[in-house]
Amino acid sequence: MTVELRHLRAFLAIADEGTITRAAARLHVTQPALSRTLRQLETHLGVRLIDRSTHHLQLTAAGHAFQPRAAAAVAAVDEALDPAGAGTWPLRVGHAWSALGEHTTPLLRRWKQEHPHTPVQLLRVDDRTAGLAHGTVDVAVIRGRADLPDEVHTVALLTEPRLAAVAADSVLTRKPRLTLHDLSTEPIAVNTVAGTTTPDLWPADEIPTDIIEVANTDDWLAAITTGHAVGVTTTATAAMYPHPAVVYIPLIDAPAVTVYLVWRQPPSHPAVPDLITLAQRLITPPPLRLSPGRPVLQSPRAV
């Protein structure tokens, strides 16, 4: 049997909806037809993808492993057949929040100068891998750790100092610098989908007890501007999301966040290596050149 795109769409719909009934309605097919399509796919792969032992269907371990591959394949076909993209092949760069901060515009402008025939699409995707795991982007900007597919390459691009984000009328704005201790008694807005802030950032005896969970940067900012919470972020957010009702203050005892560029190997777009090279050239600081015999001194916070 030859696997077709409909087999992948059927599996993804069932995985998303959790029942054959809802998945069939979504795909406008009958339930028996959808069940047959799933069985055909499982027979071809030689593994069970969906556990049917309960009323609410669950992915098996093989199903969880296959899901991002199937999603990436469907996304690639949809992208290739999109009439809006006929004649062009945009390079899709994903990010969950703040892109590359202050470096975003210079990078995009330089890219347009050097690669005028390859447009870049900057896409905000609210998940930990910024769309890379599901094949919706060619390169992802990722902060901190993420559960990435095995076939990816990663390069550390820069580190960003952390900042506290507080409402403009907060008493915390009276301090030029803040510590985690200063925030420990405040409600903390935490992006549980793609953020880098968790309660573990605080010492064990100062972990905040009032956590306000949000799913994206817009909701995070709303919680802060209204005075319902404070936030912890990086300098990139201050550059990309300036707001008259928010003050960003250096957070002096929180570790910096490493920013990575991540892409699949082989690349899903031929221009990926060029983008990586350009980003490194514009953003990554050059190596320090030392005079012979001269030691390098580092402050304890730099280690």
Side-chain angles (χ1 to χ4, degrees):
M1 186 203 77
T2 300
V3 172
E4 301 173 359
L5 195 60
R6 63 184 177 88
H7 292 91
L8 301 183
R9 292 194 191 279
F11 164 71
L12 292 172
I14 296 170
D16 288 343
E17 298 294 343
T19 70
I20 293 289
T21 301
R22 289 200 298 266
R26 171 173 156 181
L27 296 175
H28 305 290
V29 299
T30 65
Q31 295 179 42
L34 184 59
S35 295
R36 286 195 301 271
T37 302
L38 175 61
R39 286 197 300 271
Q40 291 170 350
L41 177 62
E42 291 178 325
T43 299
H44 174 81
L45 295 174
V47 294
R48 179 65 65 90
L49 299 174
I50 303 289
D51 181 1
R52 303 167 180 79
S53 61
T54 62
H55 177 70
H56 187 84
L57 306 183
Q58 301 287 339
L59 292 179
T60 64
H64 281 292
F66 184 66
Q67 186 177 21
R69 293 164 51 197
V74 171
V77 172
D78 288 345
E79 176 74 16
L81 298 180
D82 183 3
T88 65
W89 188 357
L91 177 61
R92 303 164 300 170
V93 180
H95 67 104
W97 48 275
S98 299
L100 288 169
E102 64 180 355
H103 305 288
T104 305
T105 298
L107 176 66
L108 295 179
R109 285 185 174 275
R110 181 65 64 86
W111 178 266
K112 186 176 181 180
Q113 293 172 0
E114 298 185 6
H115 303 272
H117 302 298
T118 304
V120 166
Q121 289 182 349
L122 187 64
L123 306 173
R124 195 185 99 179
V125 184
D126 291 321
D127 71 50
R128 182 67 62 181
T129 69
L132 189 72
H134 295 287
T136 53
V137 302
D138 303 299
V139 181
V141 179
I142 295 178
R143 289 175 171 84
R145 298 180 179 180
D147 185 13
L148 297 167
D150 293 335
E151 68 278 10
V152 302
H153 279 202
T154 302
V155 60
L157 195 60
L158 74 157
T159 58
E160 296 171 344
R162 291 196 198 243
L163 305 174
V166 304
D169 59 355
S170 169
V171 297
L172 293 173
T173 61
R174 299 172 185 174
K175 295 185 177 184
R177 293 174 296 277
L178 294 173
T179 65
L180 291 169
H181 173 75
D182 293 325
L183 305 181
S184 60
T185 59
E186 301 284 338
I188 308 295
V190 173
N191 182 341
T192 58
V193 174
T196 58
T197 301
T198 68
D200 293 338
L201 188 63
W202 279 260
D205 59 345
E206 293 188 343
I207 294 178
T209 57
D210 192 357
I211 302 296
I212 297 178
E213 296 185 354
V214 298
N216 54 61
T217 302
D218 293 336
D219 293 346
W220 179 85
L221 274 173
I224 295 167
T225 58
T226 56
H228 291 155
V230 301
V232 175
T233 186
T234 74
T235 50
T237 302
M240 297 296 288
Y241 294 93
H243 196 290
V246 177
V247 176
Y248 296 97
I249 304 172
L251 194 57
I252 61 175
D253 59 345
V257 175
T258 301
V259 181
Y260 301 92
L261 289 181
V262 184
W263 67 98
R264 290 182 179 272
Q265 191 62 29
S268 55
H269 192 292
V272 167
D274 292 332
L275 181 74
I276 303 302
T277 299
L278 178 61
Q280 289 180 305
R281 190 170 83 235
L282 293 181
I283 300 174
T284 304
L288 182 64
R289 295 185 178 182
L290 304 179
S291 300
R294 186 173 181 177
V296 178
L297 300 179
Q298 290 182 309
S299 67
R301 295 193 59 81
V303 177

